Amino acid sequence: MAMLIKLDHVYAGYHDSLVLEDVSLTVNEHDFIGVIGPNGGGKTTLVKVISGLLKPVSGSVYLGNELEGGKRIGYLPQINHFDRQFPVTVLDVVLSGALNRRQWFGGFKGEIREKAHHLLEKTGIKTVSSQPIGSLSGGQAQRAFLCRALMTDPLVLLLDEPTNFVDREFEKNLYQLLSELNESMAIVMVSHDLGIISSHVKTIACVNKTLHYHDGPEISTEQLAVYNCPIDLVAHGPVPHRVLKVHK
Ligand SMILES: Nc1ncnc2c1ncn2[C@@H]1O[C@H](COP(=O)(O)OP(=O)(O)OP(=O)(O)O)[C@@H](O)[C@H]1O
Ligand SMILES: [Mg+2]
């Protein structure tokens, strides 16, 4: 399978503090990698390094040729809150994912607009497409940002806690959508919910300053303890499952 992105002995962080140390990870075609780890462990930082938004302090990031210098990486950032005053419509947000496809005289080709409408329909927010993004619920906004990430026809889709704000109904649809998308793109998804991770991803990266890669969707309690990934057993819904404990 073709290599899309390779992190080789990467050290990364902010100012003087290192968040990731000696991290190596390869994203291949058709991968679906779940990223887990405690709060502050460096999951978002890892995703930023993969996306190219954060340059490593040392080590290397190699991109496969098809990624066109990183243009075909879709990124849904972790959203904790968003600016409700932001004066653009939902459709504008989605189209902003295709800025590199704008025509030289401005505006987007009809096919790009069609694609935006198709994605809005697929994620169930077409009816609100002309509303200001700030008028949407958190879950609807999350879907709009997912549409934006998909506008680049990504070969690698990075999702940082995509189910924040999203209701149970759309969560099911989301995983169905992701498994369809996974046929044509690799997915790297950060999640706190190990139950979700185990049932949808193919492999797991456990991040807590360093990265431990598991070549399968299951990870044992003992392994998590060794990697300093504290876990908790919780039961919400009919099946009890494990989620990561929140660090103080
Ligand atoms: N822009 C930034 N400037 C300085 N420090 C930062 C910045 N972003 C993150 N950090 C620090 O880097 C560390 C790792 O943060 P990161 O956001 O990667 O963790 P995370 O695993 O995604 O956590 P969470 O589960 O809360 O999303 C934290 O200690 C955080 O305070
Ligand atoms: Mg994070």
Side-chain angles (χ1 to χ4, degrees):
M1 251 183 282
M3 180 279 276
L4 295 170
I5 302 178
K6 183 173 174 183
L7 273 56
D8 192 26
H9 299 289
V10 161
Y11 290 72
Y14 309 91
H15 315 295
D16 291 335
S17 68
L18 271 181
V19 175
L20 296 176
E21 289 186 5
D22 201 15
V23 164
S24 295
L25 177 74
T26 305
V27 182
N28 289 315
E29 246 179 355
H30 303 299
D31 274 356
F32 195 156
I33 305 175
V35 178
I36 59 169
N39 289 132
K43 303 179 296 298
T44 296
T45 305
L46 173 73
V47 169
K48 282 188 190 163
V49 171
I50 298 175
S51 72
L53 285 174
L54 183 68
K55 292 265 166 286
V57 177
S58 69
S60 310
V61 180
Y62 301 102
L63 297 183
N65 288 339
E66 308 91 291
L67 286 180
E68 298 172 17
K71 276 192 204 150
R72 296 190 64 188
I73 300 176
Y75 178 31
L76 172 72
Q78 182 173 5
I79 301 164
N80 297 318
H81 65 275
F82 68 98
D83 184 358
R84 294 205 167 269
Q85 307 304 321
F86 206 57
V88 294
T89 66
V90 174
L91 181 62
D92 290 337
V93 167
V94 176
L95 283 171
S96 71
L99 282 181
N100 62 344
R101 310 272 194 83
R102 225 169 11 170
Q103 297 167 103
W104 64 269
F105 49 86
F108 293 96
K109 277 197 189 139
E111 66 196 67
I112 302 246
R113 291 187 170 271
E114 256 169 51
K115 181 168 181 179
H117 285 293
H118 171 73
L119 289 168
L120 286 161
E121 183 147 27
K122 205 159 177 164
T123 52
I125 50 170
K126 193 166 176 175
T127 51
V128 295
S129 63
S130 53
Q131 288 185 25
I133 184 84
S135 69
L136 266 53
S137 71
Q140 287 173 321
Q142 190 85 317
R143 297 180 209 191
F145 292 119
L146 175 63
C147 292
R148 181 180 65 173
L150 291 172
M151 285 298 288
T152 48
D153 280 329
L155 290 174
V156 178
L157 178 62
L158 305 171
L159 304 168
D160 198 347
E161 306 206 19
T163 53
N164 278 0
F165 308 118
V166 164
D167 61 32
R168 287 263 149 195
E169 186 55 35
F170 182 66
E171 201 173 316
K172 268 196 295 179
N173 296 342
L174 176 70
Y175 290 116
Q176 174 61 37
L177 176 63
L178 293 183
S179 81
E180 283 168 31
L181 293 171
N182 192 212
E183 287 168 22
S184 57
M185 65 188 75
I187 300 176
V188 178
M189 178 175 79
V190 177
S191 175
H192 275 285
D193 194 326
L194 264 188
I196 294 292
I197 286 272
S198 303
S199 37
H200 294 94
V201 306
K202 295 174 181 164
T203 59
I204 294 179
C206 185
V207 176
N208 192 5
K209 207 157 198 180
T210 54
L211 184 151
H212 298 270
Y213 185 73
H214 300 266
D215 200 6
E218 290 294 338
I219 187 165
S220 70
T221 312
E222 293 73 27
Q223 284 170 320
L224 284 168
V226 171
Y227 304 146
N228 261 337
C229 267
I231 53 141
D232 213 358
L233 231 166
V234 295
H236 56 88
V239 188
H241 59 263
R242 290 163 290 169
V243 296
L244 297 169
K245 259 187 202 163
V246 174
H247 263 203
K248 292 211 173 66

